[in-house]
Amino acid sequence: MHILVIEDDLDLGRAMQKALQLEGMHSTWLRRAGDAPATFPAPEYDCILLDLGLPDGDGMTLLSRWRRAGVAIPVIIVTARLALDERLAGLDGGADDFLVKPFAMAELVSRMNAVTRRHARHAGDVWRLGPLEIAPRARTVRVDGIPVDLSPREFQLLLELARYPGAVVAKSALSTRLEPHGEPVNFAAIDVHVFNLRNKIGSAHIRTVRGIGYVLEPQ
């Protein structure tokens, strides 16, 4: 997963990035509201961790702007504000969850996994997309109930596409997510992995959007 962290505290920001890296996640860290994107035309991020008290503005303003623009990326508010009305305002304003500082990093990761599952409409341990069944934790795939043997890279690619069923996932996003802590995977290698994946799960499951990326068809 690729996570956007908007947090001005240096120590907390570093700790969050380290915790995400240990979980195998890639993150982008911003410290000012003014540096945050106004909108997200492609599913570049899987979740946003948003501090409310930023040095140049309020996180709620960012959240309201994103929701008005139709941005549906899950947002977890991370803040030191303890008042109940603050939490209710955040949730009513479009946040998916609310975490009060200080918090355990394990809880943060657990809440992120929960909101991203809900967002992707995958509430259980098995993701079902027509005849396709994906078990992320068990790292297994079945088509019409028959197990499919995928390489680690093919499974990772399928998982990234399955997070956004029916939506175009850009090659640029896949390139980063397939190798979050190293050099991005080149586009030619992605094309080869998609070719092999189609041979194993059926070509009808993955559609190419020329010049942009791929779509996993929900069927």
Side-chain angles (χ1 to χ4, degrees), residues 26 30 117 167:
H26 177 68
L30 305 176
R117 281 199 305 268

Side-chain angles (χ1 to χ4, degrees), residues 8-20:
D8 69 315
D9 185 278
L10 284 172
D11 291 336
L12 180 57
R14 291 181 182 125
M16 291 167 73
Q17 280 208 305
K18 183 177 181 179
L20 295 174

Side-chain angles (χ1 to χ4, degrees), residues 115-128:
V115 299
T116 53
R117 281 199 305 268
R118 292 198 300 266
H119 176 69
R121 299 185 297 279
H122 301 312
D125 290 332
V126 178
W127 300 359
R128 292 180 173 84

Side-chain angles (χ1 to χ4, degrees), residues 65-87:
R65 182 190 308 157
W66 292 333
R67 294 314 190 214
R68 287 197 304 271
V71 175
I73 300 170
V75 175
I76 299 177
I77 290 177
V78 179
T79 182
R81 300 178 187 177
L82 299 175
L84 176 61
D85 59 347
E86 293 277 8
R87 283 178 280 170

Side-chain angles (χ1 to χ4, degrees), residues 120-122 126-134 142-144 158-159 161-166 205 216-219:
R121 299 185 297 279
H122 301 312
V126 178
W127 300 359
R128 292 180 173 84
L129 299 164
L132 185 64
E133 295 183 359
I134 307 170
R142 293 175 179 269
V143 177
D144 291 322
L158 178 61
L159 200 63
L161 293 174
R163 295 186 194 280
Y164 306 95
H205 288 288
L216 184 67
E217 298 290 4
Q219 298 192 1

